[in-house]
């Protein structure tokens, strides 16, 4: 697809190797990826803006490399972050017009850690407005500021959300890796829909400080990449304890294992896995079932011991009640932390600004904001706490039952199981499983494991990816849309 000197989907390790021998510099890599964004970005609305000092970051990285060697595998590697994550000096908008000029003075903790590792923060990705918790009928990937993100595998197919721009950017090779956020499905679902890898960590493994929130009981950030190995490299840098986020207490133990993790081994041999064998009813069910059966066959051939289980989904009423209760205080805390120069200082101000600019800002209304502002946080607190305990316990019970004994992970068709993992706070990872025979739309598979087991979950997913190896870039699956977009 590209004729710019960098392989279409060069891995982090490939790029690091090229940097080490002088095949390219960080400055030249930033130039390559910026050119791709400028050429493909407007067609798919994946990227909201470039980070203004990305070339200066790259220059500094090249200087560090020359003087003392790389600080990490990510030294000089361009990274795209979702536009609800603070990057100092660049607006963090959440896709909201009211926040178009909201410029944080400091980086989110995870961004600071990326910088400390030598990564270059290249651009901000488009997203579903306010990470999807804004309007009831809001399409995935749509925001009043960024427009509609498109899925390069099929522009008639949802890009899924809310980390839709992060997924599209990785799928299009506009950067080797990206950061998304998830409250329920917002990393794993766009990854499955766009044939990439997306990992939602245990809640508390990655700091949420400096990220526009929905519900702190479930919010997390996580890596999105073409390969499990790249996702693991990104997660190892992002993870760790942060005094500004009490949920991260104890995260350093898992982080230490992640930083020493070696993938590429036969992790499936002897692994005990629970597997959900039947895909749900719906369009192209037989086609989807065949692909899932192939995944299960790959697991068995690789030496995994599988046990068939049934895991029933939960109704969403309790989860939505939790989101509605947590949203206002969480967002108000974030906005207050931006200081007196911020254009909006509370959700009530955001609602009023939107109402005053309804033509531009409220194509789909703002039902979720109105519902959240109607909550009486004193009178309703006891009900909320009971609801959250009940919902979390139900999700944990469903997953724990499937992981009876020494079973290490649950294998779900597509993105089944991701909502349970989100509500329990457990880790989940989505990866490509093939393409439908009928229309070539991507099919995914999801693995869920117990809290703080990301190293083992990544090893299992990496082994499955290597054994199955079905991913293809969008220009091979959907060549018509790329015919006029060949980049030279």
């Amino acid at each position: 697809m590209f004729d710019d000197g960098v392989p279409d989907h060069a891995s982090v390790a490939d790029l690091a190797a090229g940097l080490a021998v002088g095949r390219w510099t960080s400055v030249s890599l930033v130039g390559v990826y910026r050119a791709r964004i400028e050429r493909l970005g407007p067609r798919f609305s994946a990227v909201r803006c470039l980070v203004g000092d990305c070339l200066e970051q790259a220059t500094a990285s090249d200087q560090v490399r020359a003087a003392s060697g790389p600080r990490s595998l990510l030294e000089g590697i361009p990274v795209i972050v979702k536009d609800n994550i603070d990057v100092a000096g660049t607006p963090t908008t959440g896709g909201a017009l009211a926040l178009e000029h909201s410029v944080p003075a400091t980086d989110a903790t995870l961004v600071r850690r990326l910088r400390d590792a030598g990564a270059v923060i290249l651009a901000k990705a488009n997203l579903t407005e306010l990470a999807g918790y804004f309007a009831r009928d809001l399409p995935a990937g749509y925001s009043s500021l960024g427009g509609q993100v498109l899925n390069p595998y099929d522009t008639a197919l949802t890009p899924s959300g809310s980390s839709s721009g992060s997924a599209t950017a990785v799928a299009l090779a506009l950067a080797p890796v990206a950061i998304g956020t998830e409250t329920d499905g917002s990393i794993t679902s766009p990854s499955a829909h766009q044939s990439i890898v997306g990992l939602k960590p245990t809640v508390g493994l990655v700091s949420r400080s400096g990220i526009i929130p929905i519900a702190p009981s479930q919010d997390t950030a996580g890596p999105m990449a073409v390969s499990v190995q790249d996702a693991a490299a990104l997660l190892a840098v992002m993870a760790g304890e942060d005094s500004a986020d009490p949920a991260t207490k104890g995260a350093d133990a898992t982080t230490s294992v992640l930083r020493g993790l070696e993938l590429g081994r036969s992790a499936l041999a002897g692994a005990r896995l629970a597997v959900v064998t039947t895909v749900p009813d719906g369009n192209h069910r037989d086609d989807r079932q065949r692909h899932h059966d192939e995944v299960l066959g790959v697991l068995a051939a690789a030496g995994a011991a599988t046990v068939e289980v049934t895991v029933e989904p939960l109704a969403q009423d309790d989860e939505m009640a939790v989101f509605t209760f947590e949203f206002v205080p969480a967002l108000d805390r974030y906005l207050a932390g931006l200081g007196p120069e911020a254009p909006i200082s509370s959700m009530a101000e955001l609602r009023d600004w939107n109402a005053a600019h309804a033509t531009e800002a409220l194509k789909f209304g703002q039902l979720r904001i109105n519902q959240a502002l109607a909550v009486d946080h004193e009178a309703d607190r006891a009900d909320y706490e009971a609801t959250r305990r009940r919902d979390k316990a139900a999700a944990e019970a469903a997953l724990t039952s499937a992981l009876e004994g020494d079973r290490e992970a649950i294998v779900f068709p597509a993105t089944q199981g991701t909502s349970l993992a989100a509500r329990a706070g457990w880790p989940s990872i989505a990866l490509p499983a093939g393409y439908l025979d009928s229309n070539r739309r991507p099919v995914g598979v999801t693995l869920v494991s117990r809290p703080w087991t990301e190293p083992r979950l990544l090893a299992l997913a990496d082994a499955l990816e290597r054994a199955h190896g079905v991913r293809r870039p969008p220009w091979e699956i959907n060549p018509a849309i790329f015919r006029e977009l060949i980049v030279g």
Side-chain angles (χ1 to χ4, degrees), residues 13-245:
D14 291 337
L15 294 173
L19 286 164
V21 300
R23 182 177 177 188
W24 41 64
T25 64
S26 183
V27 168
S28 67
L29 284 181
V30 166
V32 164
Y33 287 113
R34 282 182 58 169
R36 293 183 185 184
I37 289 169
E38 289 163 2
R39 183 69 181 268
L40 293 182
R43 174 66 68 96
F44 297 96
S45 298
V47 173
R48 196 192 68 75
C49 70
L50 291 165
V51 173
D53 69 345
C54 58
L55 279 173
E56 287 83 355
Q57 293 178 61
T59 298
S61 174
D62 286 334
Q63 292 170 346
V64 168
R65 181 181 293 275
S68 56
R71 287 164 283 186
S72 79
L73 186 65
L74 293 182
E75 184 71 66
I77 303 297
V79 178
I80 290 178
V81 301
K82 187 176 178 180
D83 192 24
N84 60 347
I85 301 171
D86 286 351
V87 174
T90 300
T92 298
T93 73
L97 277 170
L99 298 175
E100 183 176 8
H101 303 294
S102 181
V103 182
T106 58
D107 289 327
T109 298
L110 73 85
V111 170
R112 175 177 55 76
R113 286 179 171 154
L114 288 168
R115 291 192 196 273
D116 288 347
V120 174
I121 312 303
L122 175 67
K124 303 293 288 291
N126 271 325
L127 71 161
T128 315
E129 190 159 347
L130 293 184
Y133 208 69
F134 178 63
R136 181 173 57 190
D137 298 321
L138 191 68
Y142 176 85
S143 74
S144 53
L145 178 60
Q148 179 63 57
V149 179
L150 298 180
N151 186 333
Y153 284 91
D154 187 334
T155 55
L157 177 67
T158 177
S160 197
S162 63
S163 304
S164 44
S166 298
T168 300
V170 170
L172 289 170
L174 305 185
V177 289
I179 309 295
T181 65
E182 175 164 327
T183 310
D184 186 334
S186 289
I187 291 173
T188 48
S189 187
S191 296
H193 278 79
Q194 301 199 54
S195 205
I196 65 168
V197 174
L199 184 138
K200 184 208 81 75
T202 302
V203 172
L205 181 61
V206 176
S207 172
R208 287 86 52 86
S209 179
I211 301 177
I212 297 176
I214 294 176
S217 62
Q218 292 184 204
D219 290 345
T220 186
M224 303 172 75
V226 168
S227 71
V228 174
Q229 194 158 21
D230 283 357
L234 198 55
L235 182 63
V237 169
M238 296 165 57
E241 295 183 17
D242 176 15
S243 60
D245 184 355

Side-chain angles (χ1 to χ4, degrees), residues 238-321:
M238 296 165 57
E241 295 183 17
D242 176 15
S243 60
D245 184 355
T248 63
K249 185 178 181 179
D252 281 354
T254 300
T255 303
S256 178
V257 179
L258 284 168
R259 290 176 181 167
L261 184 63
E262 294 184 11
L263 299 177
R265 300 177 179 177
S266 300
L268 288 171
R272 286 184 52 79
L273 305 175
V275 296
V276 177
T277 58
T278 304
V279 305
D281 291 334
N283 294 333
H284 311 286
R285 183 188 180 282
D286 291 344
D287 203 349
R288 291 183 289 117
Q289 183 68 59
R290 184 181 69 78
H291 285 282
H292 189 58
D293 289 344
E294 286 182 358
V295 169
L296 300 182
V298 169
L299 293 172
T306 61
V307 178
E308 183 176 347
V309 297
T310 300
V311 183
E312 296 295 339
L314 300 177
Q316 285 194 303
D317 293 353
D318 282 351
E319 183 184 39
M320 297 302 289

